[in-house]
Amino acid sequence: MKSAITALLVALVIATASAFTGTPLQLGRTSTAAAHSTRSTLVMRERKCDLLGKKANRKARVVTFSHKRIHKVQQVNLQWKRFYSDDLGRQVRLRLSTKGIKTVNKYGSIDAAAKKFGVNLTKY
């Protein structure tokens, strides 16, 4: 009985040791074009407006019929929007709140709005 338990423990140790000796997983694209790209598809980003910096309201409350107060998160209405930047001479793709889209329309171009709010468009 004791030898069977020892054999099981040895097999378990060998199995766990061999699980960590394999090749590591590569997260990301393997093409050379992706290596030069500044934007990666696997980067987790905060739900935040790129122009205005609006974030989620984490202090919102729901009051039920029995008057219990339950906390809920009010997320920002974010949209992926593509604008043409005259300064850069190319399209920039930003994740903007709907108020941020209205702000860009108010200033007339993404370049003017980015200058007003101090955003570097070369990152996008």
Side-chain angles (χ1 to χ4, degrees), residues 52-110:
L52 301 177
K54 290 170 94 46
K55 293 189 292 190
N57 177 17
R58 299 202 159 270
K59 304 231 181 227
R61 294 195 308 184
V62 176
V63 180
T64 64
F65 179 74
S66 63
H67 215 62
K68 290 181 185 173
R69 291 175 176 90
I70 301 168
H71 288 280
K72 79 172 221 173
V73 177
Q74 290 176 337
Q75 296 289 350
V76 182
N77 186 5
L78 292 175
Q79 308 293 325
W80 283 103
K81 189 77 173 153
R82 196 173 306 178
F83 293 101
Y84 183 78
S85 171
D86 292 327
D87 294 344
L88 299 176
R90 64 176 176 88
Q91 299 259 340
V92 289
R93 187 170 177 250
L94 300 166
R95 195 173 188 195
L96 297 180
S97 61
T98 50
K99 182 162 182 162
I101 295 171
K102 289 179 183 180
T103 304
V104 170
N105 290 337
K106 174 184 165 187
Y107 284 103
S109 71
I110 189 64

Side-chain angles (χ1 to χ4, degrees), residues 44-55:
M44 289 293 291
R45 294 184 61 199
E46 181 183 10
R47 289 189 56 83
K48 182 177 172 184
C49 178
D50 290 334
L51 183 68
L52 301 177
K54 290 170 94 46
K55 293 189 292 190

